[in-house]
């Protein structure tokens, strides 16, 4: 998360919302394990994307867009 925040600041998006997703070695993953990780991440990602104030920047994902930082 620290690296992600530093990179977002470097690229001019200091308030970019970030979501931390647990990582495990892919080589030992069981079939379907990554799909479960994705299902778990959907809620926090949706929450982060919809918490941003609409007037704080350009459309989501647009270069230079800024949104409220994830707490």
């Amino acid at each position: 998360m620290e690296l992600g925040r530093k990179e977002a600041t470097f690229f001019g998006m200091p308030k970019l919302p970030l979501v931390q997703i647990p990582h495990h070695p892919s080589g030992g993953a069981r079939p379907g394990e990554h799909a479960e990780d994705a299902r778990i991440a959907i809620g926090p990602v949706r929450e982060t994307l919809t918490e941003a104030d609409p007037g704080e920047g350009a459309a989501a994902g647009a270069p230079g867009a800024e949104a409220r930082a994830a707490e």
Side-chain angles (χ1 to χ4, degrees):
M1 290 299 288
E2 183 179 345
L3 177 59
R5 290 189 194 288
K6 285 181 180 182
E7 288 183 342
T9 299
F10 177 82
F11 287 107
M13 298 179 286
K15 296 180 180 180
L16 180 72
L18 301 174
V19 174
Q20 186 168 356
I21 300 172
H23 175 74
H24 55 80
S26 295
R30 297 179 309 271
E33 193 168 7
H34 294 300
E36 181 62 21
D37 290 344
R39 277 192 289 281
I40 291 169
I42 288 172
V45 169
R46 179 184 300 126
E47 212 174 279
T48 299
L49 291 173
T50 57
E51 285 179 356
D53 292 336
E56 282 192 342
E66 291 187 44
R68 190 168 50 89
E71 309 263 336

